[in-house]
Structure formats: C-alpha cells, structure tokens
Amino acid sequence: MCLDIDDTLLDNEASSRQALRALVGNDGAWPVWRRTTEEHYARFVEGEIDFDVMCTERTRAFFAAFGEHLSDTEAARREDVRMAAMQRAWGLFDDARPCLDWLRAAGLRLAVITNAPSDYQRKKIAAIGLADAFDAVVISGEVGVAKPDAGIFAAACARLGLEPHEVAHVGDRLDTDAVGARDAGLRGIWLNRAGKRRPAPEGVHVITSLRQLPELLVCDLEPAGA
Ligand SMILES: [Mg+2]
C-alpha cells in the first residue's frame, strides 16, 4: 500500500493557513496564497526551479499580488518567518494514525510516494512521528521523477518487492495520485476529502476519509466469487 503525504496524511492546508496568519496576521488571503502555490509548486515539480527558490519566489509573488514589491533580502526574511510557523503547525489528520495502524495490523507493506525535495520531506515525516511508519519512503527529489510519472510508482513497487497490480496508492490529487497510479498499473484511490463533485475516471476508486480505506481494501482484496 502506498500513500501520499501532503493533504493525505498531513493536514497541509491547516499548517499553511497557520503560516499565512503568522505572515500577515490572518488567512483572509488564503485563495491568493493557494493560487500562487499552485503556480510556483508546478515549476518546482517540473524541475524548473529548486525548492528554496520556489519558496522565496512564491512569497514574493504573494505580496506582489497586493502591490508590495519585496527586495531579495526581505522576501527571504518573510519566507523564513512563514516556514518556521508552518513547521511548528505540521500535524496529521485525525484519521491518519488509525488508518496506518490498521494497514500495519493487516500485514500490508507500506510506502510513501511524495513529490518534494528530499531533506525537507524527510524532516517533515520525522516531525509528524512517521519516521518508522513505512517500509519505503519514495521522494521525487531522490528518484528524479515525480508523480504522475509512472517511474516513481514503479520505484515504490520495486522497493516493496511487489508487482504494480499488487499495490494500491491513495492520495488527495485525482490526476497526480489516483490517475497516475492507475496508469502505472496500480490500484488508484482518490482521497476526496472535500467531497468535490467530480466524476471519478474509470478504474479509480474514491473515498472521502481514510476511515473508508480498510473497507475498500477488504472488499477489493476478496477473492473473485468469494
Ligand atoms: Mg498530496
């Protein structure tokens, strides 16, 4: 079983909102922050810019959207404030630990598949108490390809010693996680926490909470005709 980290196990929106409050006093500009993040994170995932540059450029672009143009030094200083606040706020969703405990008790081998830089994501995984929770930690910054590229899913299956058709992957992004996994030959599961009204593509399973994952796997793993 493979799992995404951000917005799947870790409540990234809550920690990002907390960081925004630390930066500007409230999170009223959350939609602007989220849009700026989408634009800049895509550039990082594509390998266009490195993570630290992305973070500083994103903060600079956020303030520029409100007409404030920051020097390099000031953009870096504000990003340091924001990042420190975010790291203090990192935490798991309530359904994450019970789900991981169930998966372990069921005897499944567990891997993380995450699009992020190596050091940052390993620090995060340790900070939320999951350093020993997985048999494999597969990070795009280490393997050189990012979700939805089939290569990162293949790397995770290899690390688990399983064939893709024996492995499921769950994540909060329909295209990056669920469709990417399906196209790589795994069982793709979309964690639609917000209950978005969006039809699931063929071959993609949908859950709205990690509490639903055990039941889905139990049904899915029943031998045909049983
Ligand atoms: Mg995610």
Side-chain angles (χ1 to χ4, degrees), residues 57-175:
E57 288 303 310
R58 172 177 56 182
T59 289
R60 192 204 306 271
F62 171 76
F63 282 101
F66 296 98
E68 188 177 1
H69 298 282
L70 306 179
S71 67
D72 289 353
T73 308
E74 182 59 12
R77 189 193 68 78
R78 291 192 196 185
E79 173 55 23
D80 286 348
V81 169
R82 192 200 68 82
M83 180 61 81
M86 189 164 81
Q87 294 188 2
R88 286 193 298 273
W90 277 340
L92 294 170
F93 284 105
D94 289 345
D95 57 6
R97 178 59 77 178
C99 178
L100 290 170
D101 289 346
W102 185 91
L103 294 168
R104 268 286 174 226
L108 297 176
R109 308 200 70 200
L110 304 182
V112 155
I113 306 180
T114 177
N115 286 353
S118 173
D119 292 351
Y120 177 75
Q121 206 68 345
R122 287 191 179 274
K123 180 177 175 183
K124 184 190 292 179
I125 289 167
I128 56 178
L130 298 183
D132 300 318
F134 305 102
D135 300 293
V137 173
V138 180
I139 302 177
S140 64
E142 294 175 9
V143 298
V145 282
K147 296 178 287 185
D149 190 297
I152 196 166
F153 293 103
C157 293
R159 297 269 298 277
L160 291 175
L162 296 166
E163 295 296 322
H165 72 269
E166 299 176 296
V167 181
H169 171 76
V170 61
D172 66 290
R173 294 198 171 232
L174 176 57
D175 295 334

Side-chain angles (χ1 to χ4, degrees), residues 4-8 147 171-173 177:
D4 169 55
I5 290 279
D6 293 298
D7 292 313
T8 296
K147 296 178 287 185
D172 66 290
R173 294 198 171 232
D177 288 300

Side-chain angles (χ1 to χ4, degrees), residues 30-61:
W30 174 249
V32 178
W33 179 262
R34 193 170 52 183
R35 189 166 62 245
T36 310
T37 294
E38 291 290 334
E39 292 164 6
H40 284 71
Y41 208 82
R43 295 177 62 204
F44 158 70
V45 170
E46 291 296 319
E48 205 179 304
I49 49 176
D50 75 24
F51 187 73
D52 292 340
V53 171
M54 185 280 291
C55 287
T56 306
E57 288 303 310
R58 172 177 56 182
T59 289
R60 192 204 306 271

